Amino acid sequence: MLAGISRFLTRRRRPPFPLAATAAAAAMSSSSSTAANISERPISPDTTRVAWVGTGVMGQSMAGHLLAAGYALTVFNRTASKTQGLVSRGASLADSPRAAAAAADVIFLMVGFPSDVRSTALDPSTGALSGLTPGGILVDMTTSDPTLAAEIAAAAAAAGCSAVDAPVSGGDRGARNATLSIFAGGDAAVVARLAPLFKLMGNALYMGGPGAGQRAKLGNQIAIASTMVGLVEGMVYAHKAGLDVAKWLEAISTGAAGSKSLELYGKRILERDMAAGFYVRHFVKDLGICLLECQAMGLSLPGLALAQQLYVSLIAHGEGGLGTQALILAVERLNNTSLEKKDE
């Protein structure tokens, strides 16, 4: 009988499942519950924590709109001094993209190059996805490579999160005035859920699955590139023809030649204001991505190729830190003239 009791007690001491497995199952259940709670909550200042990585010319204004709307904001920038304007208004400062993501339900990226996007989003030690809670959303607003956008979306899904590519158009003025065009790619339901945040920065249009937002933005850059060439060529022609270039711009602005590029940059060019609303070096990066996409598609776009070469010439002259309106300098050099002085 004692042997029977001993066998009974021994059996009772063995848990039906290994303790480690039980703990892991509980953790998974808790994680799934957290993800579900985050993904089901409506986005609002009362329920949603936001982070922003990249507080440069565009990011500073865009993140500022979220802060002004009452969202709890955590920021990170490689040059910490560029975050001070936001920190002085109440934003918290993180020491890495990972730390910023850990303090947020939605994290936005607005950095420079695809290599920056890759490290900011995917680095296993410091990247945003490594710190984002399951159910969280990563929104990349950098103009970047569509294939990288799809890669980030897949990595986010594997981590129980979501990723949206949402590059913008409208320059520094659009960022300041919250009138940006936002090209959104990813899961349609996730994009729709982000509407309360997007509307604080401009107008978002859903373009399709992962990478579609980036491809829409690249098409936008192709259109802008040739438009800018036409604008500065027209200005140089008007100058050489002896016209008052300011009056000429006013005259064409209400006709078929009117454009957003003319509206944004015509006066700046006349005033020799080359300060960057969008850097030449970043535009060259965008046009390079466009050319690679075209090569993969077997697509010949000679206007794009010409514009890219003219902008590359600005970088060769050390002008990559100027704004895209500095294209006038390249066309002036080709013609040994300048809008600043009257030709003989």
Side-chain angles (χ1 to χ4, degrees):
M1 186 169 98
L2 289 174
I5 293 173
S6 177
R7 284 194 299 273
F8 172 78
L9 290 175
T10 301
R11 285 198 301 269
R12 291 281 292 179
R13 289 191 192 104
R14 294 193 188 109
F17 302 102
L19 290 175
T22 304
M28 289 179 62
S29 175
S30 174
S31 176
S32 299
S33 176
T34 300
N37 289 340
I38 292 174
S39 62
E40 291 171 5
R41 285 200 304 258
I43 288 179
S44 75
D46 294 331
T47 62
T48 309
R49 303 165 304 156
V50 179
W52 197 283
V53 175
T55 54
V57 172
M58 302 283 287
Q60 182 88 211
S61 295
M62 295 162 73
H65 295 313
L66 305 182
L67 190 61
Y71 284 90
L73 180 68
T74 300
V75 294
F76 171 79
N77 198 79
R78 286 180 299 188
T79 305
S81 60
K82 292 184 178 181
T83 66
Q84 288 310 302
L86 294 167
V87 171
S88 67
R89 293 168 53 190
S92 300
L93 180 62
D95 62 5
S96 69
R98 177 176 183 160
D105 303 307
V106 180
I107 183 167
F108 292 88
L109 312 183
M110 189 65 165
V111 294
F113 294 83
S115 58
D116 299 320
V117 173
R118 177 176 293 280
S119 61
T120 301
L122 299 177
D123 187 282
S125 300
T126 62
L129 275 180
S130 65
L132 194 60
T133 301
I137 305 172
L138 183 150
V139 185
D140 180 24
M141 305 195 84
T142 315
T143 302
S144 185
D145 187 338
T147 57
L148 177 57
E151 182 182 345
I152 291 171
C161 300
S162 301
V164 169
D165 49 290
V168 302
S169 180
D172 58 331
R173 184 182 300 181
R176 287 195 305 271
N177 297 334
T179 56
L180 293 168
S181 293
I182 303 169
F183 311 103
D187 183 271
V190 175
V191 171
R193 189 163 168 260
L194 290 167
L197 295 170
F198 284 148
K199 75 178 182 181
L200 296 172
M201 296 178 271
N203 180 48
L205 288 176
Y206 179 65
M207 307 308 299
Q214 294 295 351
R215 289 192 169 92
K217 175 61 188 291
L218 294 179
N220 178 84
Q221 301 302 72
I222 291 168
I224 287 175
S226 292
T227 300
M228 286 298 293
V229 172
L231 173 62
V232 300
E233 286 186 345
M235 293 179 75
V236 168
Y237 168 82
H239 170 71
K240 290 290 286 186
L243 298 175
D244 181 320
V245 181
K247 287 184 178 178
W248 176 79
L249 286 172
E250 181 182 358
I252 71 169
S253 66
T254 56
S259 69
K260 182 65 73 172
S261 293
L262 188 158
E263 177 188 332
L264 290 174
Y265 300 121
K267 184 179 178 182
R268 294 190 197 186
I269 291 171
L270 283 180
E271 295 176 350
R272 310 306 281 186
D273 175 7
M274 303 299 166
F278 190 72
Y279 290 111
V280 165
R281 62 175 175 266
H282 289 164
F283 198 46
V284 168
K285 172 262 298 183
D286 293 354
L287 299 184
I289 297 172
C290 291
L291 287 169
L292 288 174
E293 282 273 297
C294 289
Q295 182 177 341
M297 295 175 180
L299 191 60
S300 174
L301 299 181
L304 164 64
L306 172 61
Q308 192 259 1
Q309 286 298 297
L310 289 170
Y311 274 106
V312 167
S313 78
L314 293 177
I315 291 179
H317 280 83
E319 295 159 346
L322 300 181
T324 51
Q325 68 272 26
L327 184 64
I328 188 68
L329 303 177
V331 177
E332 286 177 340
R333 277 192 286 262
L334 281 173
N335 292 283
N336 192 29
T337 189
S338 170
L339 301 189
E340 283 189 292
K341 61 181 185 291
K342 188 173 180 63
D343 291 329
E344 298 296 332

